[in-house]
Amino acid sequence: MPVTVGPYGQTQPSCFDRVKMGFMMGFTVGMAAGAMFGTFSCLRVGMRGRELMGGVGKMMMQSGGTFGTFMSIGMGIRC
């Protein structure tokens, strides 16, 4: 497929760049959602201090990784 050129001479991002950007956007959104849901669920079961920070961080990483993976797959399908 030929590379399209914009009106000012810039080229469009490659498919790998789009997949990478989809993962980064999904990871960011997933981490924000994981922070909200993780904080709520950890406080609900009575975690405090270091245990709370570890639980929330784990939930943020899991949510970010999961949502980032699905966003990158979606961007890969669009290429």
Side-chain angles (χ1 to χ4, degrees):
M1 183 171 206
V3 177
T4 58
V5 177
Y8 299 109
Q10 71 269 31
T11 59
Q12 298 293 324
S14 68
C15 188
F16 179 72
D17 289 335
R18 289 179 187 213
V19 169
K20 192 168 52 171
M21 181 61 73
F23 181 80
M24 288 190 290
M25 288 189 305
F27 195 83
T28 304
V29 171
M31 282 190 68
M36 290 188 298
F37 293 125
T39 302
F40 177 73
S41 65
C42 288
L43 287 175
R44 189 177 56 166
V45 296
M47 292 183 181
R48 296 287 186 259
R50 185 172 291 191
E51 187 180 27
L52 175 69
M53 289 295 116
V56 171
K58 181 179 177 184
M59 182 70 130
M60 288 173 69
M61 294 302 285
Q62 287 176 342
S63 300
T66 302
F67 200 73
T69 300
F70 285 115
M71 281 288 287
S72 64
I73 290 170
M75 291 299 276
I77 290 172
R78 289 187 62 198
C79 284

